[in-house]
């Protein structure tokens, strides 16, 4: 009887089985397996430890791991469900699932609300809205005067704050988005539906789409 050596593939920390993740997200098992290859690539781009650090996510989204970016910070914070400063594979897949074309619109609206709720108070306040608008304008290389920015923020806030209490609650946000669906347009990444075909060009496509937000 001969002897043989079997080499087990080492999984990253926090690895979860594709069948489990596929059951909880819009992705198929094959798509989750393709996402794992993407995850391994991202999680070794700066620190090779099988976990995605903020610099690695920023590098993937904006090709720059050093420049502070409010949008990247918020995306990272929402993906980092365990709040331990890194993104594990399970967190990565479940969070990306929200951006899948087949994900419920309610999930996209909720994620977008949390994105704008910078101080995590359960409401979007005027200053938070202004910070996010300015960050998105900056990423789009759009230069507007302070007066113009204030006008955009004032108009948006007055339309969304139906109760007139100086803050936007989840119900008001949902109503506002239903009238302005373009607000969550970037909450859908069409190529996630074909991730098995798109990989490894997924990252470059993500860079292009996020730069257009």
């Amino acid at each position: 009887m001969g002897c043989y050596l079997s080499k087990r593939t080492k999984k990253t920390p926090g690895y979860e089985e594709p069948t489990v993740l596929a059951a909880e997200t819009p992705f198929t098992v094959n798509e989750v397996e393709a996402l794992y290859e993407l995850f391994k690539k991202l999680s070794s781009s700066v620190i090779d430890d099988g976990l995605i650090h903020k610099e690695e996510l920023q590098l993937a989204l904006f090709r720059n791991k050093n420049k502070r970016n409010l949008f990247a910070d918020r995306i990272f914070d929402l993906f980092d469900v365990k709040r331990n400063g890194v993104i594990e594979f399970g967190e990565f897949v479940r969070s990306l699932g929200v951006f899948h074309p087949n994900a419920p619109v309610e999930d996209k609206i909720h994620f977008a609300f949390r994105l704008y709720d910078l101080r995590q108070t359960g409401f979007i306040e005027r200053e938070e809205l202004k910070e996010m608008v300015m960050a998105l304008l900056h990423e789009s290389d759009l230069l507007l005067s302070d007066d113009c920015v204030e006008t955009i923020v004032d108009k948006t806030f007055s339309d969304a704050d139906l109760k007139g209490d100086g803050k936007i609650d989840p119900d008001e946000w949902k109503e506002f988005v239903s009238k302005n669906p373009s607000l969550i347009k970037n909450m859908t990444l069409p190529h996630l539906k074909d991730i098995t075909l798109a990989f490894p060009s997924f990252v470059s496509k993500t860079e292009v789409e996020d730069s257009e937000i």
Side-chain angles (χ1 to χ4, degrees):
M1 187 174 177
C3 295
Y4 66 92
L5 291 173
S6 63
K7 186 177 180 181
R8 294 184 65 184
T9 305
K10 185 181 178 183
K11 301 298 184 183
T12 58
Y15 175 81
E16 294 183 50
E17 289 298 329
T19 50
V20 173
L21 293 171
E24 297 179 13
T25 66
F27 298 113
T28 65
V29 173
N30 285 343
E31 288 169 338
V32 173
E33 289 171 344
L35 283 174
Y36 184 57
E37 295 305 312
L38 171 63
F39 179 83
K40 287 192 294 184
K41 181 179 178 181
L42 295 182
S43 64
S44 61
S45 59
V46 178
I47 303 170
D48 190 3
D49 61 357
L51 299 164
I52 295 179
H53 295 255
K54 185 173 288 187
E55 300 88 346
E56 291 169 323
L57 184 68
Q58 191 155 310
L59 183 64
L61 293 178
F62 303 106
R63 302 186 188 185
N64 188 324
K65 66 183 175 67
N66 296 317
K67 187 177 73 170
R68 181 166 173 75
N69 180 290
L70 178 62
F71 183 70
D73 284 349
R74 292 301 298 136
I75 290 289
F76 184 88
D77 289 344
L78 294 181
F79 273 49
D80 178 20
V81 179
K82 294 182 180 177
R83 315 289 296 163
N84 58 355
V86 292
I87 300 172
E88 298 176 0
F89 179 56
E91 293 174 319
F92 180 69
V93 175
R94 289 188 180 89
S95 298
L96 264 186
V98 176
F99 292 84
H100 193 285
N102 294 343
V105 174
E106 291 77 13
D107 290 354
K108 296 177 186 291
I109 293 174
H110 179 59
F111 191 96
F113 180 86
R114 293 171 62 211
L115 194 67
Y116 281 82
D117 180 16
L118 302 179
R119 285 171 264 290
Q120 301 166 51
T121 58
F123 300 95
I124 299 173
E125 298 169 353
R126 187 187 183 283
E127 195 56 35
E128 292 174 319
L129 181 65
K130 181 180 177 180
E131 283 183 51
M132 205 56 158
V133 167
M134 291 180 68
L136 293 174
L137 287 173
H138 178 71
E139 284 309 314
S140 303
D141 291 325
L142 291 174
L143 297 175
L144 298 180
S145 67
D146 290 344
D147 287 346
C148 206
V149 171
E150 291 292 342
T151 300
I152 292 172
V153 173
D154 282 342
K155 177 72 170 70
T156 303
F157 208 83
S158 63
D159 288 350
D161 181 19
L162 300 176
K163 297 173 185 172
D165 56 2
K167 56 191 178 184
I168 302 169
D169 64 32
D171 289 336
E172 289 173 321
W173 175 254
K174 186 175 181 178
E175 178 69 19
F176 184 58
V177 170
S178 70
K179 295 176 181 176
N180 302 274
S182 61
L183 281 168
I184 59 167
K185 177 187 173 188
N186 290 300
M187 293 301 301
T188 297
L189 301 176
H191 47 273
L192 281 181
K193 205 166 186 177
D194 302 304
I195 187 65
T196 49
L197 300 175
F199 182 80
S201 60
F202 172 82
V203 176
S204 60
K205 285 184 180 178
T206 305
E207 288 167 351
V208 171
E209 293 209 1
D210 280 306
S211 68
E212 293 173 350
I213 292 176

